[in-house]
């Protein structure tokens, strides 16, 4: 199974996707999370042998809508389960992998990963969870800003990661 199939087939918040060493080619990017707090994990010590090649597309981006276009006037709690209403689903943890060959759309940021959450600043801390990148090798990302990684209004920890050939 390809990583993109695993991400597309998550069915609940907090699921874990285990990625084994090998080359995974993204054929339809970017990968967009359907659920919050997904964990994508390779094997400890195998990050450089567990490669997601984004084939010139952005690797990961948040989904900015839930069950179609979000409309505060017509949305119900079932459209976007609380406490995450108004947030954009993303991973809780991405670790022990290499992301390569990603490009943001023209004039956009984050060639490999774009993370964002656009919401009311008085309440965003209520449902903004921390995303951790651990031993991720970011390589060959291109974007207007943040050649490899672009973060907007999200909590992020980056541990033991490397960034090479990122162009902004």
């Amino acid at each position: 199974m390809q990583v993109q199939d695993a991400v597309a087939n998550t069915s609940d918040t907090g699921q874990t996707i285990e990625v084994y060493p090998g080359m995974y080619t993204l054929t339809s990017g970017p990968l967009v999370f359907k659920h919050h707090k997904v964990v994508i994990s390779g094997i400890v010590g195998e990050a450089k042998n567990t490669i997601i090649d984004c084939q010139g597309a952005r690797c990961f981006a948040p989904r900015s809508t839930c069950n179609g276009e979000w409309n505060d006037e017509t949305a119900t709690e079932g459209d976007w389960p609380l406490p995450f209403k108004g947030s954009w689903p993303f991973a809780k943890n991405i670790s022990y992998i290499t992301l390569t060959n990603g490009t943001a759309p023209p004039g956009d940021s984050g060639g490999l990963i774009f993370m964002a959450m656009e919401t009311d600043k008085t309440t965003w801390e209520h449902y903004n969870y921390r995303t951790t990148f651990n031993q991720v090798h970011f390589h060959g990302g291109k974007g207007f800003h943040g050649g490899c990684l672009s973060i907007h209004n999200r909590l992020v920890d980056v541990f033991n990661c490397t960034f090479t050939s990122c162009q902004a």
Side-chain angles (χ1 to χ4, degrees):
M1 176 182 279
Q2 289 289 327
V3 174
Q4 64 196 26
D5 297 329
V7 170
N9 288 313
T10 57
S11 59
D12 200 7
T13 293
Q15 284 187 280
T16 297
I17 299 168
E18 294 180 0
V19 185
Y20 294 95
M23 173 70 76
Y24 300 89
T25 302
L26 184 63
T27 58
S28 179
L31 298 174
V32 178
F33 295 94
K34 293 177 11 179
H35 297 280
H36 290 275
K37 299 184 178 183
V38 171
V39 173
I40 297 178
S41 182
I43 296 172
V44 175
E46 292 291 332
K48 297 236 174 157
N49 298 316
T50 309
I51 302 164
I52 299 175
D53 184 342
C54 300
Q55 296 289 300
R58 180 183 279 151
C59 296
F60 292 102
R63 179 173 55 111
S64 59
T65 61
C66 188
N67 297 344
E69 292 298 318
W70 183 260
N71 180 333
D72 279 327
E73 294 178 13
T74 62
T76 65
E77 288 185 16
D79 292 332
W80 202 310
L82 295 175
F84 304 116
K85 179 183 174 191
S87 63
W88 296 4
F90 203 79
K92 178 181 178 184
N93 186 305
I94 297 177
S95 57
Y96 313 115
I97 62 172
T98 294
L99 301 174
T100 189
N101 192 22
T103 304
D108 210 348
S109 301
L112 295 172
I113 293 179
F114 175 71
M115 297 176 62
M117 182 165 50
E118 304 295 336
T119 189
D120 185 324
K121 291 187 186 262
T122 63
T123 60
W124 75 274
E125 291 95 347
H126 176 66
Y127 43 76
N128 189 9
Y129 48 89
R130 187 172 304 278
T131 296
T132 300
F133 295 98
N134 186 21
Q135 294 186 30
V136 175
H137 179 60
F138 296 90
H139 177 77
K142 299 174 188 165
F144 182 68
H145 292 131
C148 282
L149 178 63
S150 181
I151 303 163
H152 301 277
N153 208 22
R154 298 298 300 233
L155 302 171
V156 175
D157 286 327
V158 178
F159 298 109
N160 302 312
C161 294
T162 57
F163 294 83
T164 58
S165 301
C166 300
Q167 300 175 17

